[in-house]
Amino acid sequence: MDELSVMDGSKCILQLRGVRPFLSDKYDITRHPYYKYLSDADPRNAFSVERFLSARLTLTENETYEVFHVDVSDQLPSP
């Protein structure tokens, strides 16, 4: 625990599945070419679950579409 508290601020310990934890340099995300698309750069880029779920599909008169009815009640396991 003492080593962690005095660890250099530019380093981090990565723990990935299937690999032993290892020491690595931290990556400065502000230097990435796509940083401008992150919510850190612009709060308007933050993903909103409410806005995503409230989006409605709108169809025009000229669009062709098919409607399917799916009944899975007979495929459900009985309790």
Side-chain angles (χ1 to χ4, degrees), residues 61-79:
E61 288 184 29
N62 299 331
E63 282 187 284
T64 304
Y65 60 92
E66 295 181 41
V67 177
F68 295 93
H69 175 74
V70 178
D71 183 17
V72 294
S73 60
D74 60 336
Q75 297 176 4
L76 296 175
S78 57

Side-chain angles (χ1 to χ4, degrees), residues 29 34-48:
I29 61 171
Y34 294 136
Y35 173 73
K36 60 187 172 189
Y37 300 117
L38 295 178
S39 62
D40 292 356
D42 187 352
R44 293 178 294 172
N45 293 336
F47 180 75
S48 169

Side-chain angles (χ1 to χ4, degrees), residues 2 7 10 12 15 21-22 25 32 40-41 51 68 72 76 78:
D2 292 336
M7 189 169 69
S10 65
C12 65
Q15 185 172 358
F22 59 94
D25 293 327
H32 194 278
D40 292 356
R51 189 174 41 179
F68 295 93
V72 294
L76 296 175
S78 57

Side-chain angles (χ1 to χ4, degrees), residues 4 6 8 18 26 30 38 50 53 55 58-59 66-68 73:
L4 293 177
V6 295
D8 182 9
K26 288 184 180 177
T30 61
L38 295 178
E50 292 82 13
L53 293 177
T58 55
L59 302 173
E66 295 181 41
V67 177
F68 295 93
S73 60

